[in-house]
Amino acid sequence: MIRKLGLIGAAALIATAAPAAAQEATPVTDAQIAHVAYTAGQLDIEAAKQALEKSRNPEVRAFAETMIRDHKTVNDQALALVRKLGVTPEANATSAALTDGAAGKMRALAALDGAAFDRAYAANEAAYHASVNGALAGTLIPAADDAELKALLETGLALFREHQAHAEHLAQSLD
């Protein structure tokens, strides 16, 4: 049941973000792509911090620490790249929808404790990475104009696919 709620939350996030993305000017600019990518990473860092505050499960805590480390590294690389390129990340409807969806999910997770929190956090991480990976592969990478930005997004996608698999495995082990 908890696992299904995480997937439903991700589906709701995608349903919210998709119309917002459609409202944006087509094609999406590199500045908007940079903001969406950075926002997605930062939101996962915040979710991992919440997990470290609430969970006592060593596997969940280790996963959360990995999320903080890896997403911080990718976000630091993204910030260095946008500075190098002279691009200012541009807030947009998609990054706003991601932020709003994550805030609701974090409130829902905050109401849980113990094993219920651990299961919901792991399921949400699997669903969140699936939706972000889909956006990277299907929209953000193809729309990126700058070769260095595209390469960074592709590197991130490879790493985040590993995160998704890890989260799926963790969620299965907690059921």
Side-chain angles (χ1 to χ4, degrees):
M1 177 72 173
I2 297 293
R3 185 178 184 131
K4 288 180 183 174
L5 290 175
L7 295 175
I8 290 167
L13 177 62
I14 293 167
T16 302
Q23 293 172 3
E24 292 179 31
T26 304
V28 180
T29 67
D30 283 358
Q32 292 169 332
I33 292 168
H35 198 277
V36 169
Y38 182 86
T39 299
Q42 196 59 35
L43 292 171
D44 207 29
I45 290 169
E46 294 305 315
K49 287 179 180 177
Q50 182 184 41
L52 290 176
E53 289 173 11
K54 293 191 66 81
S55 182
R56 298 295 160 243
N57 182 306
E59 291 178 21
V60 171
R61 293 180 62 78
F63 177 79
E65 288 169 354
T66 299
M67 294 305 96
I68 291 170
R69 182 194 66 229
D70 289 356
H71 285 284
K72 182 179 180 326
T73 298
V74 171
N75 275 0
D76 289 347
Q77 291 172 348
L79 288 175
L81 178 59
V82 296
R83 279 193 291 272
K84 174 185 170 189
L85 299 174
V87 172
T88 301
E90 182 182 321
N92 55 76
T94 301
S95 56
L98 284 171
T99 300
D100 291 346
K105 184 48 98 173
M106 286 188 68
R107 281 191 301 275
L109 288 171
L112 301 174
D113 290 307
F117 172 85
D118 294 339
R119 286 189 300 272
Y121 169 70
N124 186 65
E125 283 295 299
Y128 184 73
H129 279 90
S131 65
V132 169
N133 291 344
L136 280 166
T139 304
L140 301 178
I141 292 170
D145 288 326
D146 182 82
E148 287 181 273
L149 176 60
K150 190 178 291 260
L152 179 61
L153 294 172
E154 289 168 345
T155 299
L157 177 58
L159 178 63
F160 304 151
R161 283 180 172 153
E162 291 176 21
H163 288 176
Q164 181 182 346
H166 187 176
E168 289 168 352
H169 175 74
L170 179 61
Q172 288 176 348
S173 75
L174 295 171
D175 279 345

